[in-house]
Amino acid sequence: MSTPAERALAQFQAEASRTTSLMRWGLVGLLGLAGGLDQTRVEGVGFWLVLAAYGLFAVGWFVKVRRRPVSPTTGLAATTVDLVAVTVLSLLAGGGGTLPTLAYVVIPVMAAFRYRPTLSAGVGIATILSFALTAAVERPPIDTTTLVAEAAVLTLVAVATFLLSVVLARRATRIRALLADADALTAQVLDAEARERRRLAEDLHDHALQTLLVAGQELDELDGAEAAEEALRAGIREIREVVFALHPYVLDEAGLVVAVRRVAERVAGQAGFAVTVDGEPLPSGPHDRLLFGVARELLTNVAKHARAEHVTVALRDTPDGRRLEIDDDGVGIDRAVLSARLADGHIGLASTRARVEGVGGTFTLDTTAPGTRTVVRVPSGEPDASTGARVGA
């Protein structure tokens, strides 16, 4: 599973691929217009057959990049097709100085969108050499001054697009670094939160709870203290609830599935709905504390807002990482109400989503069916923020 920085860069590259695929349609149109305006030099139907084939390629490539992102190597193949098509069409139109050679200017511009200065420089040089090849074919002869002027313009465009690609690549690198810093900060915050919860739980368990237990033992020895003893025992139960909420020791001792089952049964008992927890025992994972906190937050939201009768919780490992799924048959979530709550400062779900995405995970909320289905995935085999150890590598 990729990190937020990698996903952001992939999104930029996918957007660039879609942009260049649209520009390719413009390139096809420019070549067709140039051939139509300079028909005296277009030899036979060969020009139009090649142009039609290139147009089909442009349509097919647009469909391809719309369906899924392409790799840099595949993108380079498309740029090669562009360059070969323009060169062949220019030769079929009569060689250097003909109107179709104007299309060479577009190719370095398309390459600049790929955030790769080396690729941009290579495409610029290849474009100039291809233009020189077409200039060697002159039917009828073309004024040398015109050819030199066109070559100079094409060189200027190639240099400008190379510099543009350098700027874009530097910005992409900076964005990647900023997102990586944000990932690291998120991990540190989660680690600090876990340490603080553990410290508070230990303080309550080792001091306040022990004091109350001692007081309870002393009350057992007195007569007529039933009311005080009951109040004391209620206080002990409440403190134990707080200790479990702050730091679930069962997570360390029995694992994620048992800990989630424990908190699910506790919330279900308090809220009055039935709960089913599916999942075999799982090995310790680097983000188990985060998943446990997310499960507790989501189950609490169900108890407060869903008015559900039954809730299903599933935990399992998948090729994409560790997956938590919570389904309820409640009233669902109105997107408009959720947006309004976020605007009013209720950021529970937004905060949960940010924490999951901060470790490279995904958080999806589906309210199309009756009730609500929430699916959370976190990566496996990544370094644990608290220990630096790599799990599952």
Side-chain angles (χ1 to χ4, degrees):
M1 189 175 294
S2 60
T3 65
E6 293 170 341
R7 291 200 300 271
L9 184 58
Q11 183 178 359
F12 294 155
Q13 292 174 339
E15 183 179 359
S17 295
R18 290 191 291 268
T19 301
T20 54
S21 67
L22 289 174
M23 292 180 64
R24 187 171 289 107
W25 288 6
L27 184 58
V28 172
L30 174 62
L31 288 164
L33 177 63
L37 293 176
D38 200 9
Q39 294 186 21
T40 57
R41 296 190 180 184
V42 175
E43 298 182 354
V45 297
F47 177 92
W48 301 108
L49 290 176
V50 173
L51 182 61
Y54 183 47
L56 291 175
F57 169 77
V59 173
W61 190 261
F62 177 76
V63 173
K64 179 180 178 63
V65 299
R66 291 287 294 180
R67 288 181 176 177
R68 58 181 302 176
V70 297
S71 66
T73 302
T74 309
L76 179 59
T79 302
T80 302
V81 172
D82 296 332
L83 190 57
V84 170
V86 172
T87 301
V88 171
L89 290 169
S90 296
L91 291 173
L92 290 174
T98 57
L99 290 181
T101 60
L102 296 175
Y104 275 119
V105 176
V106 182
I107 296 179
V109 177
M110 295 169 65
F113 282 86
R114 299 195 179 277
Y115 301 94
R116 295 179 180 273
T118 303
L119 172 64
S120 182
V123 171
I125 293 172
T127 302
I128 295 172
L129 293 177
S130 298
F131 177 81
L133 172 64
T134 62
V137 180
E138 301 178 4
R139 300 186 305 273
I142 302 298
D143 180 55
T144 303
T145 304
T146 301
L147 288 175
V148 171
E150 290 183 3
V153 171
L154 183 58
T155 301
L156 179 61
V157 171
V159 172
T161 53
F162 166 73
L163 296 176
L164 175 61
S165 67
V166 170
V167 172
L168 293 175
R170 288 177 177 174
R171 289 184 177 180
T173 300
R174 180 59 178 160
I175 291 172
R176 188 189 299 112
L178 290 173
L179 289 173
D181 290 343
D183 293 347
L185 288 173
T186 300
Q188 293 174 13
V189 169
L190 292 175
D191 187 37
E193 179 186 2
R195 289 198 307 268
E196 183 64 16
R197 284 177 173 271
R198 186 185 188 101
R199 185 188 66 80
L200 290 173
E202 290 174 348
D203 287 345
L204 285 171
H205 183 272
D206 296 341
H207 300 290
L209 185 57
Q210 298 305 317
T211 300
L212 289 174
L213 288 172
V214 171
Q217 292 174 357
E218 293 178 353
L219 283 174
D220 287 340
E221 301 174 0
L222 299 177
D223 295 330
E226 291 84 359
E229 183 178 354
E230 180 58 32
L232 187 59
R233 295 190 183 280
I236 291 173
R237 287 195 299 269
E238 291 175 0
I239 290 181
R240 281 177 171 159
E241 294 283 347
V242 173
V243 168
F244 181 83
L246 286 171
H247 184 80
Y249 290 97
V250 68
L251 179 61
D252 296 332
E253 298 170 358
L256 179 63
V257 175
V258 175
V260 170
R261 179 176 288 112
R262 182 79 60 83
V263 75
E265 291 172 350
R266 183 169 301 186
V267 173
Q270 294 171 347
F273 59 76
V275 65
T276 302
V277 179
D278 296 328
E280 299 296 327
L282 300 173
S284 176
H287 303 299
D288 283 357
R289 294 192 186 281
L290 173 59
L291 272 183
F292 175 82
V294 170
R296 181 173 54 197
E297 175 75 19
L298 294 175
L299 288 167
T300 301
N301 284 341
V302 171
K304 289 182 177 179
H305 308 295
R307 299 200 296 275
E309 295 183 0
H310 187 266
V311 177
T312 301
V313 182
L315 278 161
R316 62 180 59 90
D317 281 338
T318 69
D320 294 331
R322 186 152 291 182
R323 170 186 170 118
L324 165 69
E325 181 178 330
I326 298 180
D327 294 272
D328 69 73
D329 58 359
V331 297
I333 299 177
D334 189 328
R335 293 284 182 177
V337 173
L338 180 59
S339 300
R341 288 179 60 82
L342 289 173
D344 291 339
H346 300 280
I347 59 172
L349 282 179
S351 175
T352 301
R353 181 191 298 272
R355 293 167 64 194
V356 171
E357 294 180 347
V359 300
T362 59
F363 182 102
T364 57
L365 193 69
D366 183 7
T367 60
T368 56
T372 303
R373 180 189 186 198
T374 307
V375 179
V376 179
R377 289 187 181 91
V378 294
S380 56
E382 296 294 330
D384 191 310
S386 60
T387 65
R390 184 170 292 274
V391 180

